[in-house]
Amino acid sequence: MTATQHQPDALNFECETGNYHTFCPISCVAWLYQKIEDSFFLVIGTKTCGYFLQNAMGVMIFAEPRYAMAELEEGDISAQLNDYEELKRLCLQIKRDRNPSVIVWIGTCTTEIIKMDLEGLAPKLEAEIGIPIVTARANGLDYAFTQGEDTVLAAMAHKCPKEAPKAEAEKEERNAISKLLNFGKKKEETNNEASEYKDHPPLVLFGSLPDPVVTNLTLELKKQGVKVSGWLPSKRYTELPVIEEGYYVAGVNPFLSRTATTLMRRRKTKLIGAPFPIGPDGTRAWIEKICSVFGIEPQGLEEREAKIWENLEDYIQLIRGKSVFFMGDNLLEVSLARFLIRCGMTCQEIGIPYMDKRYQKAELDLLEKTCKDMGVPVPTIVEKPDNYNQLQRIKEQKPDLVITGMAHANPLEARGINTKWSVEFTFAQIHGFTNARDILELATRPMRRNNNLKELGWEKLVKEEAKV
Amino acid sequence: MKLAYWMYAGPAHIGTLRIASSFKNVHAIMHAPLGDDYFNVMRSMLERERNFTPVTASVVDRKVLARGSQEKVVDNITRKDREERPDLIILTPTCTSSILQEDLNNFVSRAQMDAQGDVMLADVNHYRYNELQAGDRTLAQVVKFYLEKARKKGELPAGKTEKPSVNIIGISTLGFHNQHDCTELKRLMADLGIEVNLVIPDKASVHELKNLPRAWFNLVPYRELGMMAAEYLESEFEMPYVDITPMGVVETARCIRKIQEVINERGASANYEEYIENQTLHVSQAAWFSRSIDCQNLTGKKAVVFGDNTHAAAMTKILAREMGIKVVLAGTYCKYDADWFREQVSEYCDEILISEDNGEIGDAIARHEPSAIFGTQMERHVGKRLDIPCGVIAAPIHIQNFPIGYKPFVGYEGTNQIADLVYNSFTLGMEDHLLEIFGGHDTKEVITKGISADSDLNWNKEATVELNKVPGFVRGKVKRNTEKFARERGFSEITLEVMYAAKEAVGA
């Protein structure tokens, strides 16, 4: 094959200026408050933060969200007001109006700069008002977009119970009579349940996913006899999973490296480093890796993956042989690129805000392997990209599809370049075998739009810019 | 600290960026952390802009926090100067840079030495001003900068244009229906025989600013943006300005009469009375509308108005004075300019509310139970919750408030648009009310589509729960496809596994 000659041996990593567009990490409150039903997110920041949430989250703001701004005023900045008293006043108001099971404080750039000691204030206030307070520093000085979730989950990992509550046993005691009545039936059921799972150490998964996806992935593992003991985060704060020393953990999203580190170092768990369950290839690799750690022989995965690919064929036809360019803003880029390359696309550049080569190792290996299998060049991974430079490269390379933020999408479309808005991948259901079609539904949408409009000759809708 | 869920006016830098990106070939560089450049998203989304928004960030990260920006800001300015050759780069402070207290002025003067274009620092304090005030200040700052520069170089054109002429000040990007208003104002000026000397900041080049003094007078259609620039031009160049918003039939006439007065003082001999009468009676339908029985039916109906100063004041006057509607409450979120608002509307409404707290406004609406609301997108949602129709008259706004079709709010065509907006809001409310009284639409609810509805298939508990999680509008389709799949394969019970298998097979 001639293509293989140009192929570098390993992935090529570059780092640019970091002048790129992405969402502020405080945006994580938008999906986390929906995920954790009994939570309240308080973003301690300025009008700038508030305006961002209000605009980026669109109509969600009107659904009585369980999040609010603690808007800092001049008196707070110049320390004329006492942080503790101010936060207490607001948190009591939240307790009165909403009575949440947890208040999550989101620290912002401003709290960083004025060095507001949120981590120090939280335990004191927690004791005083009787509601747990979790502190996450999801600020734009340090993090990009989805990494916000990472900081929140890392903080939550500290709050997971250390051992299984005894309450379970007590409850059983109390229900002794009913248990007696149902004796035969109950036993049968428990036996049944036990036999569905293989014997393996407890496994806790981390990463916030919509409930249907959680059910789906849990079921997928159940088919292999792997039991998911808990999920960080769970539907309610009061249901955070027990994490004991020696438990196994696995991530479902590529941007959760701090959470992974916290679970390993602080909670003494073992991390299963696997590719992420995005696309049928990723899902299969994810399950296989988990099974292999537990010494389980996976059943029927190969056929299952093949079946899924078969069902994707109509979509894949639209993108096979086409090229894709990731400008980079949500850290899902490597997994998505790997899946799209497996679908037959070529990829010139994977922009990504931050690359944790250790946490993403298995994913990077799979990317490399996928490129080799498909006989396409290995893409360059550009960390902290420079959007201006990227636009020049896009202009030269003319990719068939650019996955980018909304700031660039319309201007690129006007220049005849197909785009897909990257944020949609964060909010759509993209995990597991079942949702592979949804990823392609997004990725092929511009192609399908083009097929519908192709006779019109309206691709370029701006006058060529005169460059001096 | 203030507990806030929603804000009406954005932070200061948004105002500055709106001015910068309205001008042609002006670039703004924000001194801001990653993620603060969402202005680009707003502009690209809401205005459906074809070009890249000329705003970039000089990113403040952990390193900047530790050692200061040092060369970074200067480098970013000179780099942008090289790449895009803008006429002007405006360094824009944000809330973050306000507290860092770096000497941005120094960066600007250093960058100016290397840059071909001009460089300036937007003079806005983040904690004192909001979006609207900052926009007003920045526009005045840019105007002043270029007029002084021209004066120093002796490039100020002398004298006035031959015919009466006007500068229209305050049309900007992301402004509520600004593009349509601009077209309508130009049309109005053409009708009046007045040349449009310059429109700023919209699509103006900074090099043209030196020609501002050639106009006979300035027109400031919006209270929030352009007043400072107009006042500067008045004090420096003795240019009079007209600040009556031509919104509504009466106010449009008042604006035109004021223009007549201003240009006649300067030697013209205009008489617009005939024009006003003709437009009012025959071109605009609004005057006739208020006479028609449609509008008669609205007499004494209650309305609440809330928005920015310009639109809320104009709307209150239109409803009360031109349509006989009872405005029970008029309010503005422009707290900093509350006195003006009070003075404008006090005789046209029962109660005035000056507040930036959406909860307070929501409560007031609930208390008054008006038949219609005229407010921002926030009030529209309050209306939805309370089942009261709402016409959107002011920012904050959504993408649907950037219509492609021609929908000005000012001038005579504007009066037609407003009449439609008002009438549609009220009749919708009325229709709803009648439907309720008469027990809803006379149609049988469609329960089934196709054969699969009377199902012989059993959904087990988990699958039913899962099905109920599917959003309502596709649930029927998912159910049908799943059942079809199950029937084809001879499953008698639908479990979670069957559901997912069906999804994989048919993309249900």
Short mmCIF file of all heavy atoms in Angstrom, two decimals, chain A residues 148-183:
data_model
loop_
_atom_site.label_atom_id
_atom_site.label_comp_id
_atom_site.label_asym_id
_atom_site.label_seq_id
_atom_site.Cartn_x
_atom_site.Cartn_y
_atom_site.Cartn_z
N GLY A 148 -15.12 20.99 33.25
CA GLY A 148 -15.90 21.44 34.39
C GLY A 148 -16.53 20.26 35.12
O GLY A 148 -16.48 20.17 36.35
N GLU A 149 -17.10 19.34 34.35
CA GLU A 149 -17.69 18.15 34.97
C GLU A 149 -16.63 17.38 35.74
O GLU A 149 -16.88 16.87 36.84
CB GLU A 149 -18.32 17.25 33.90
CG GLU A 149 -18.82 15.93 34.47
CD GLU A 149 -19.43 15.00 33.43
OE1 GLU A 149 -20.09 15.50 32.52
OE2 GLU A 149 -19.24 13.78 33.56
N ASP A 150 -15.44 17.32 35.16
CA ASP A 150 -14.34 16.61 35.81
C ASP A 150 -14.06 17.19 37.21
O ASP A 150 -13.92 16.45 38.18
CB ASP A 150 -13.10 16.70 34.92
CG ASP A 150 -12.02 15.73 35.32
OD1 ASP A 150 -12.35 14.72 35.99
OD2 ASP A 150 -10.85 15.98 34.98
N THR A 151 -14.02 18.52 37.30
CA THR A 151 -13.72 19.11 38.61
C THR A 151 -14.84 18.83 39.61
O THR A 151 -14.58 18.61 40.79
CB THR A 151 -13.53 20.64 38.51
OG1 THR A 151 -14.75 21.23 38.07
CG2 THR A 151 -12.42 21.01 37.56
N VAL A 152 -16.08 18.83 39.13
CA VAL A 152 -17.20 18.56 40.05
C VAL A 152 -17.17 17.11 40.51
O VAL A 152 -17.29 16.82 41.71
CB VAL A 152 -18.55 18.88 39.36
CG1 VAL A 152 -19.71 18.45 40.26
CG2 VAL A 152 -18.67 20.35 39.04
N LEU A 153 -16.95 16.19 39.57
CA LEU A 153 -16.95 14.77 39.94
C LEU A 153 -15.76 14.43 40.84
O LEU A 153 -15.88 13.62 41.75
CB LEU A 153 -16.97 13.88 38.70
CG LEU A 153 -18.22 13.99 37.83
CD1 LEU A 153 -18.21 12.93 36.75
CD2 LEU A 153 -19.49 13.89 38.66
N ALA A 154 -14.62 15.08 40.57
CA ALA A 154 -13.46 14.84 41.43
C ALA A 154 -13.79 15.27 42.86
O ALA A 154 -13.45 14.59 43.83
CB ALA A 154 -12.24 15.59 40.91
N ALA A 155 -14.50 16.40 43.00
CA ALA A 155 -14.88 16.87 44.33
C ALA A 155 -15.91 15.92 44.95
O ALA A 155 -15.88 15.65 46.15
CB ALA A 155 -15.44 18.28 44.26
N MET A 156 -16.80 15.40 44.13
CA MET A 156 -17.84 14.49 44.64
C MET A 156 -17.24 13.16 45.08
O MET A 156 -17.75 12.52 46.00
CB MET A 156 -18.87 14.22 43.55
CG MET A 156 -19.76 15.40 43.31
SD MET A 156 -21.46 14.94 43.34
CE MET A 156 -22.21 16.56 43.29
N ALA A 157 -16.15 12.76 44.39
CA ALA A 157 -15.52 11.48 44.72
C ALA A 157 -15.13 11.44 46.20
O ALA A 157 -15.17 10.39 46.85
CB ALA A 157 -14.30 11.25 43.84
N HIS A 158 -14.79 12.62 46.74
CA HIS A 158 -14.44 12.68 48.16
C HIS A 158 -15.64 12.41 49.04
O HIS A 158 -15.50 12.06 50.19
CB HIS A 158 -13.88 14.06 48.50
CG HIS A 158 -12.53 14.32 47.92
ND1 HIS A 158 -11.39 13.77 48.44
CD2 HIS A 158 -12.15 15.05 46.85
CE1 HIS A 158 -10.36 14.16 47.72
NE2 HIS A 158 -10.80 14.93 46.74
N LYS A 159 -16.83 12.67 48.50
CA LYS A 159 -18.04 12.58 49.32
C LYS A 159 -18.71 11.22 49.23
O LYS A 159 -19.71 10.98 49.90
CB LYS A 159 -19.03 13.66 48.88
CG LYS A 159 -18.52 15.08 49.01
CD LYS A 159 -18.81 15.63 50.39
CE LYS A 159 -18.36 17.08 50.49
NZ LYS A 159 -18.73 17.68 51.78
N CYS A 160 -18.18 10.33 48.41
CA CYS A 160 -18.79 9.01 48.30
C CYS A 160 -18.59 8.25 49.61
O CYS A 160 -17.51 8.31 50.19
CB CYS A 160 -18.16 8.20 47.17
SG CYS A 160 -18.60 8.83 45.56
N PRO A 161 -19.61 7.52 50.07
CA PRO A 161 -19.48 6.78 51.32
C PRO A 161 -18.30 5.80 51.25
O PRO A 161 -18.04 5.22 50.19
CB PRO A 161 -20.80 6.03 51.44
CG PRO A 161 -21.71 6.57 50.40
CD PRO A 161 -20.92 7.38 49.44
N LYS A 162 -17.65 5.61 52.40
CA LYS A 162 -16.45 4.77 52.40
C LYS A 162 -16.78 3.30 52.53
O LYS A 162 -16.03 2.44 52.14
CB LYS A 162 -15.53 5.19 53.55
CG LYS A 162 -14.87 6.52 53.29
CD LYS A 162 -13.50 6.60 53.96
CE LYS A 162 -12.75 7.83 53.50
NZ LYS A 162 -13.49 9.09 53.75
N GLU A 163 -17.90 3.00 53.17
CA GLU A 163 -18.27 1.59 53.26
C GLU A 163 -19.78 1.46 53.15
O GLU A 163 -20.51 2.40 53.39
CB GLU A 163 -17.78 0.99 54.56
CG GLU A 163 -18.15 1.81 55.78
CD GLU A 163 -17.55 1.24 57.05
OE1 GLU A 163 -16.43 0.69 56.98
OE2 GLU A 163 -18.20 1.34 58.09
N ALA A 164 -20.18 0.26 52.78
CA ALA A 164 -21.61 0.01 52.58
C ALA A 164 -22.35 0.29 53.88
O ALA A 164 -21.90 -0.13 54.95
CB ALA A 164 -21.83 -1.43 52.15
N PRO A 165 -23.45 1.03 53.82
CA PRO A 165 -24.17 1.34 55.05
C PRO A 165 -24.77 0.08 55.65
O PRO A 165 -25.15 -0.84 54.94
CB PRO A 165 -25.26 2.32 54.56
CG PRO A 165 -25.39 2.07 53.10
CD PRO A 165 -24.06 1.58 52.62
N LYS A 166 -24.86 0.11 56.98
CA LYS A 166 -25.40 -1.07 57.67
C LYS A 166 -26.92 -1.09 57.55
O LYS A 166 -27.55 -2.07 57.85
CB LYS A 166 -25.00 -1.01 59.16
CG LYS A 166 -23.49 -0.91 59.35
CD LYS A 166 -22.95 -2.17 60.02
CE LYS A 166 -21.47 -2.36 59.77
NZ LYS A 166 -20.61 -1.24 60.20
N ALA A 167 -27.47 0.03 57.18
CA ALA A 167 -28.93 0.18 57.14
C ALA A 167 -29.61 -0.97 56.42
O ALA A 167 -30.68 -1.43 56.81
CB ALA A 167 -29.31 1.50 56.49
N GLU A 168 -28.97 -1.46 55.40
CA GLU A 168 -29.54 -2.54 54.59
C GLU A 168 -29.94 -3.72 55.48
O GLU A 168 -31.07 -4.19 55.44
CB GLU A 168 -28.47 -2.99 53.59
CG GLU A 168 -29.03 -3.67 52.38
CD GLU A 168 -29.33 -2.65 51.28
OE1 GLU A 168 -29.18 -1.43 51.51
OE2 GLU A 168 -29.73 -3.09 50.22
N ALA A 169 -29.01 -4.12 56.31
CA ALA A 169 -29.25 -5.27 57.19
C ALA A 169 -30.41 -4.98 58.13
O ALA A 169 -31.29 -5.81 58.33
CB ALA A 169 -27.98 -5.58 57.97
N GLU A 170 -30.39 -3.78 58.71
CA GLU A 170 -31.45 -3.41 59.65
C GLU A 170 -32.80 -3.49 59.00
O GLU A 170 -33.75 -4.02 59.56
CB GLU A 170 -31.23 -1.98 60.15
CG GLU A 170 -30.31 -1.91 61.35
CD GLU A 170 -29.93 -0.47 61.63
OE1 GLU A 170 -30.81 0.40 61.50
OE2 GLU A 170 -28.76 -0.23 61.97
N LYS A 171 -32.86 -2.95 57.82
CA LYS A 171 -34.13 -2.94 57.11
C LYS A 171 -34.66 -4.36 56.95
O LYS A 171 -35.82 -4.62 57.17
CB LYS A 171 -33.94 -2.27 55.73
CG LYS A 171 -35.08 -1.35 55.35
CD LYS A 171 -34.99 -0.99 53.90
CE LYS A 171 -34.30 0.36 53.71
NZ LYS A 171 -33.95 0.60 52.32
N GLU A 172 -33.76 -5.21 56.62
CA GLU A 172 -34.16 -6.61 56.43
C GLU A 172 -34.75 -7.16 57.72
O GLU A 172 -35.75 -7.84 57.73
CB GLU A 172 -32.94 -7.43 56.01
CG GLU A 172 -32.96 -7.71 54.53
CD GLU A 172 -31.76 -8.52 54.11
OE1 GLU A 172 -30.66 -8.31 54.64
OE2 GLU A 172 -31.96 -9.38 53.24
N GLU A 173 -34.08 -6.80 58.81
CA GLU A 173 -34.53 -7.24 60.13
C GLU A 173 -35.99 -6.82 60.34
O GLU A 173 -36.84 -7.59 60.71
CB GLU A 173 -33.64 -6.59 61.19
CG GLU A 173 -33.60 -7.37 62.47
CD GLU A 173 -32.43 -8.35 62.46
OE1 GLU A 173 -32.06 -8.86 61.37
OE2 GLU A 173 -31.90 -8.59 63.52
N ARG A 174 -36.21 -5.53 60.07
CA ARG A 174 -37.54 -4.97 60.32
C ARG A 174 -38.60 -5.66 59.46
O ARG A 174 -39.73 -5.80 59.84
CB ARG A 174 -37.53 -3.46 60.05
CG ARG A 174 -37.72 -2.68 61.33
CD ARG A 174 -37.77 -1.21 61.05
NE ARG A 174 -36.42 -0.65 60.96
CZ ARG A 174 -36.05 0.20 60.03
NH1 ARG A 174 -36.88 0.58 59.09
NH2 ARG A 174 -34.82 0.69 60.02
N ASN A 175 -38.19 -6.03 58.28
CA ASN A 175 -39.15 -6.65 57.38
C ASN A 175 -39.20 -8.16 57.54
O ASN A 175 -39.62 -8.88 56.65
CB ASN A 175 -38.80 -6.31 55.93
CG ASN A 175 -39.01 -4.85 55.65
OD1 ASN A 175 -39.78 -4.20 56.35
ND2 ASN A 175 -38.34 -4.35 54.63
N ALA A 176 -38.77 -8.58 58.71
CA ALA A 176 -38.65 -10.02 58.93
C ALA A 176 -39.94 -10.77 58.59
O ALA A 176 -39.92 -11.82 57.97
CB ALA A 176 -38.26 -10.30 60.37
N ILE A 177 -41.06 -10.17 59.02
CA ILE A 177 -42.33 -10.88 58.84
C ILE A 177 -42.67 -11.03 57.36
O ILE A 177 -42.94 -12.12 56.86
CB ILE A 177 -43.48 -10.16 59.57
CG1 ILE A 177 -43.16 -10.17 61.07
CG2 ILE A 177 -44.81 -10.85 59.31
CD1 ILE A 177 -44.12 -9.39 61.91
N SER A 178 -42.57 -9.92 56.68
CA SER A 178 -42.90 -9.98 55.26
C SER A 178 -41.94 -10.91 54.54
O SER A 178 -42.30 -11.58 53.57
CB SER A 178 -42.89 -8.58 54.64
OG SER A 178 -41.62 -8.00 54.82
N LYS A 179 -40.72 -10.93 55.04
CA LYS A 179 -39.73 -11.81 54.43
C LYS A 179 -40.14 -13.27 54.64
O LYS A 179 -40.06 -14.09 53.73
CB LYS A 179 -38.39 -11.54 55.10
CG LYS A 179 -37.20 -11.94 54.27
CD LYS A 179 -35.94 -11.54 54.98
CE LYS A 179 -34.82 -12.46 54.61
NZ LYS A 179 -33.67 -12.28 55.51
N LEU A 180 -40.63 -13.51 55.82
CA LEU A 180 -41.07 -14.86 56.14
C LEU A 180 -42.20 -15.30 55.22
O LEU A 180 -42.23 -16.41 54.70
CB LEU A 180 -41.57 -14.87 57.60
CG LEU A 180 -41.26 -16.16 58.37
CD1 LEU A 180 -39.82 -16.12 58.84
CD2 LEU A 180 -42.22 -16.31 59.53
N LEU A 181 -43.11 -14.34 55.01
CA LEU A 181 -44.26 -14.66 54.17
C LEU A 181 -43.85 -14.98 52.74
O LEU A 181 -44.39 -15.85 52.10
CB LEU A 181 -45.26 -13.49 54.18
CG LEU A 181 -46.00 -13.28 55.50
CD1 LEU A 181 -46.79 -11.99 55.47
CD2 LEU A 181 -46.93 -14.46 55.78
N ASN A 182 -42.88 -14.21 52.27
CA ASN A 182 -42.47 -14.38 50.87
C ASN A 182 -41.26 -15.28 50.74
O ASN A 182 -40.56 -15.22 49.74
CB ASN A 182 -42.12 -13.02 50.26
CG ASN A 182 -43.36 -12.18 50.13
OD1 ASN A 182 -44.42 -12.68 49.79
ND2 ASN A 182 -43.22 -10.91 50.43
N PHE A 183 -41.02 -16.02 51.75
CA PHE A 183 -39.71 -16.66 51.85
C PHE A 183 -39.28 -17.37 50.58
O PHE A 183 -38.25 -17.05 49.99
CB PHE A 183 -39.71 -17.62 53.05
CG PHE A 183 -38.34 -18.11 53.36
CD1 PHE A 183 -37.35 -17.23 53.77
CD2 PHE A 183 -38.03 -19.46 53.21
CE1 PHE A 183 -36.08 -17.68 54.04
CE2 PHE A 183 -36.75 -19.91 53.50
CZ PHE A 183 -35.77 -19.03 53.92
#
